[in-house]
Amino acid sequence: MGKVTGFLEIDRRDRTTRPAADRVREFKEFVIPLGQEGTKEQAARCMDCGIPFCHNGCPVNNQIPDWNDLVYRDEWQTALKNLHSTNNFPEFTGRICPAPCEASCTLNLIDEPVTIKTIECAIVDRGWEEGWITSQPAERKLGKKVAIIGAGPAGMACAQQLARTGYDVHLFEKHAKAGGLLRYGIPDFKMEKHHIDRRVKQMEGEGVTFHYNSNVGIDVAAKDLVDEYDAVVVSGGAEHPRDLPIEGRDLAGVHYAMDFLPQQNRRVGGEELGTVEPIMANGKHVIVIGGGDTGSDCIGTSVRHGALSVTQLEIMPMPPEKEDKLMTWPDWPLKLRTSTSHEEGAEREFAVMTQKFTGPDGNVEKLHCIRVDEKMQPIAGTEFELKADLVLLAMGFVHPIHEGLLSELSLELDGRGNVAADTNTYQSSDKKVFACGDMRRGQSLVVWAIREGRQCAREVDIFLTGSSNLPR
């Protein structure tokens, strides 16, 4: 695919970023695209490797060599059609997906994988610029109604697939706008929200009805939806955060990351915060506990607030800077990853356990920490303290919130507290109720959410009509 000798002649070149000193002054995207010619050149590097491991590396099974070849041949519109055949929202994944496809690329064996994520983003961005992306309403209606609860990427993908098939789709969202964690978790400097807004407009043109500020199970009866609609899909997130129940947890200034990040997104989006306490990092020593993407987002947001210092703590040992390719490839490797937020100014500490929080007058002032061994057992004599005015807990999520929707429907849960449903049918213990995304599989990536939403739509279609032409 691409140019036969392209990978031998052309070096890998990826998108660049604006300097950290400039970008931390605002909450805007700062990645600089390669441009059409640069993207075509990088697409030419896709080699005819025989077995495209990138297909399996990508959860939505993007046909990566195909659209790389099309971009190389300047057939951008056909490349866009191919890309959309497997991925409803490539502008989302082209910005925030960690790109497991690139880890699986054959050229990653020499640390020079094809810039798949960059090419994907360039294709869809050009599609919007050229006006190639429009609403695709169904040619005929099926006379059946489907309710989808949760307008994150899983719910949006499921809704779009079903609406284009001819269903009357109603998407219920407890927040004021659609997008789920894309809107209320991912900072705007990683993905601006107009990308979501134009997809919502497209979907409205396809017949999807959005019901905002509708918290099903709280102010909308879940059982009424089950009675009224031919099928119901639950596609909310895994929103129950992992806590740190240690001494001083109740001190002021100790917050969940997902109390902190959505506030800033609402500020940028012009939404009211309501009666919640504003959480700001300006002029503070910030400690982020948790080493994943959410922790990284807390760092970037705190730096933009004007924090005096930001320190990230991770209980796991520091991973190697470079993986053993022969042991890991083509699987996703465990290795040290430095995000753009880390580059903006943060200290990172690995193999550290926080034992307690202390502070006068009910406010956090210090973290009391100790270093741990590879089995995460404390190492005597390694105790130390860190100054902290704001502590953000970014240790992941354990399962969906059970109160409200799930308890009202009495859906069976799996051993981890997620809705029990397999990937063959996506049906819950109530055969009329389907589950997909984080609510079914637990905390995961946006690309997995899109995959699950698409596959769930196919199973709903089969359930209601006996067959489906939707892609698996």
Side-chain angles (χ1 to χ4, degrees), residues 172-216:
F172 293 82
E173 170 56 48
K174 67 180 179 181
H175 294 304
K177 297 180 181 179
L181 284 181
L182 291 174
R183 186 179 296 276
Y184 295 107
I186 303 295
D188 287 72
F189 58 78
K190 288 175 66 174
M191 192 186 83
E192 294 176 16
K193 308 316 173 197
H194 67 85
H195 299 295
I196 305 170
D197 295 335
R198 61 189 180 188
R199 282 297 181 183
V200 168
K201 185 176 180 180
Q202 179 196 36
M203 291 170 64
E204 289 174 338
E206 294 167 347
V208 177
T209 302
F210 288 82
H211 301 266
Y212 298 117
N213 299 309
S214 299
N215 195 347
V216 179

Side-chain angles (χ1 to χ4, degrees), residues 53-54 56-57 100-106 108-109 325-333:
F53 292 96
C54 55
N56 288 334
C101 53
E102 293 189 22
S104 296
C105 178
T106 302
N108 191 39
L109 283 168
K325 299 287 187 186
L326 296 181
M327 289 291 291
T328 62
W329 182 87
D331 295 324
W332 182 251

